[in-house]
Amino acid sequence: MKIDPNSSADLSVQIASAIKDAIIAGDLIVDERLPSETELTEQFEVSRSTVREALKRLAAQSLIRTQRGATGGAFVNRLSYEDAYAQQITTATLLLSMNAVSFDTACEARYALERACAPLAATRRDADHLATMRAEVFRQNQPGLSDEAFCASDVAFHRALVDSAANPVLSYQLAGAVEAMQPLMNMITFTERDRARIVELHTMIVDALDQGDAEAVTTGLTELEEETRKLSQNAFEKRAAQQR
Amino acid sequence: MKIDPNSSADLSVQIASAIKDAIIAGDLIVDERLPSETELTEQFEVSRSTVREALKRLAAQSLIRTQRGATGGAFVNRLSYEDAYAQQITTATLLLSMNAVSFDTACEARYALERACAPLAATRRDADHLATMRAEVFRQNQPGLSDEAFCASDVAFHRALVDSAANPVLSYQLAGAVEAMQPLMNMITFTERDRARIVELHTMIVDALDQGDAEAVTTGLTELEEETRKLSQNAFEKRAAQQR
DNA sequence: CATTTCCAATTGTCTGACAATTAAAATCTC
DNA sequence: GAGATTTTAATTGTCAGACAATTGGAAATG
């Protein structure tokens, strides 16, 4: 691991990059302890502050974790799903909030992903997933439920649907899309009629899943996508009208 | 933006988090300049090193960029697709290389995603995408092509397929899965017969796309998935045998 | 007006110090 | 000797102050 002091790049960037490469190449394995900051200072021939800034960069990407104390230090992190989730969600949220991606695009991707899960879910769904989904549908049917609670239950329903495909990669990719859409979804007011329609579709989807009918699940999701777009469009128009 | 000096969390983490929240909430807009390090030092009542470590954390996530000089400083970054791609790829590669995700799982997710793109691509594909795909198929048919070059062309083909769905969210999610699989794919030796079969399926897919036949695209992708799994399984077994 | 020089602001790096944390080693108590 | 307590050493976290490098704008110059 070497760095070039004459390069235009900042030293802390170079050091972070060198360590990152070592991790990806497998030279540093999970839970292995990196040299202490003092040792890295000597190895790279830079000051401790520079080493620290490099380590903070890696920590921000969950590549390492640090621990104080006698047996402390920086350790190579096993990238957990939680971390991957969190990163995915942050990135997706930013893309959406900075208008690099429109709501419609995110919505389209989300439902395309969910439809992609349908065939897998139809084969692999187990009683737990179905029970969760039915419980959420039941909750959505309760009168007097707030819009936020309805939304949260909707998310839980879809999460269970995707989880039933039993593919963690799909689960975590979808988490990004769903979470990023959440702030905008929360602005929507669901009328009695909207809710009835959504509950109807949810019921249809969970029934189809129960019977292992992937095609019916796909159909239900497509109709749900239409419904979601219609609702969000209304919400946007209403907000635009208010801001005038 | 306030922090709690008595919290157990590191100050630099708290500060980074506070600034990040401000960015996501829209209190700091794209290209806006953050206060200088000296000003942040006063605002948060911490030392400059602590502020700097916080800023490095944010820079590592591409949330800000820094510039030296008189009019320099830290600026809120417009999260670009390139950045999002890069992050997605790093995360996906790590998940796979640390065995948090199996090759089969990644492969399954990848083809599920591609099939999710099929209906969109069948509607939206334009001449450019089709031309790219046909050019790659042509290249794959050339005798004497190295395995690496064949692999690279395969990636280009699939990228064009997904791009033709014209949904950037799907494009960037797929990039992660494909890139992460790349190192393992490169270990595969493609026999004449394997290549012929793959080219056949690719041709079928691009023809179906040309005709707007989403169902045929989906079928082709499913067969391609089987083929990929078979090949990778062989490669793994061969490697396992060698290591004995 | 164009060019060059200078200046001030800002980030990047360095040095040295002390605080906080933590596990292990040493000590004490019974 | 066993268990509780204290000490110690290693390590990261934070602070303070300094100087270097960079860079755009202001001032001086022709």
Side-chain angles (χ1 to χ4, degrees), chain B residues 19 34-45 51 55:
Chain B
I19 297 177
L34 269 64
S36 75
E37 293 175 357
T38 314
E39 287 169 313
L40 288 172
T41 292
E42 291 160 7
Q43 267 187 40
F44 289 111
E45 296 180 318
V51 166
L55 293 178

Side-chain angles (χ1 to χ4, degrees), chain B residues 135-218:
Chain B
E136 296 299 339
V137 174
F138 180 77
R139 178 174 303 158
Q140 289 155 24
N141 230 345
Q142 298 290 333
L145 196 71
S146 73
D147 279 339
E148 284 77 26
F150 185 81
C151 243
S153 171
D154 184 69
V155 169
F157 176 89
H158 284 276
R159 197 177 285 265
L161 170 65
V162 175
D163 285 346
S164 73
N167 186 309
V169 175
L170 290 173
S171 290
Y172 112 96
Q173 289 194 324
L174 211 97
V178 173
E179 292 275 342
M181 285 167 62
Q182 211 46 17
L184 293 161
M185 293 292 285
N186 270 326
M187 294 177 358
I188 296 176
T189 343
F190 295 94
T191 65
E192 285 296 323
R193 210 175 130 184
D194 296 335
R195 294 197 188 190
R197 172 74 176 139
I198 290 171
V199 166
E200 182 194 344
L201 287 171
H202 281 179
T203 308
M204 175 185 155
I205 290 169
V206 67
D207 283 347
L209 205 59
D210 204 344
Q211 287 158 32
D213 184 351
E215 204 153 331
V217 174
T218 307

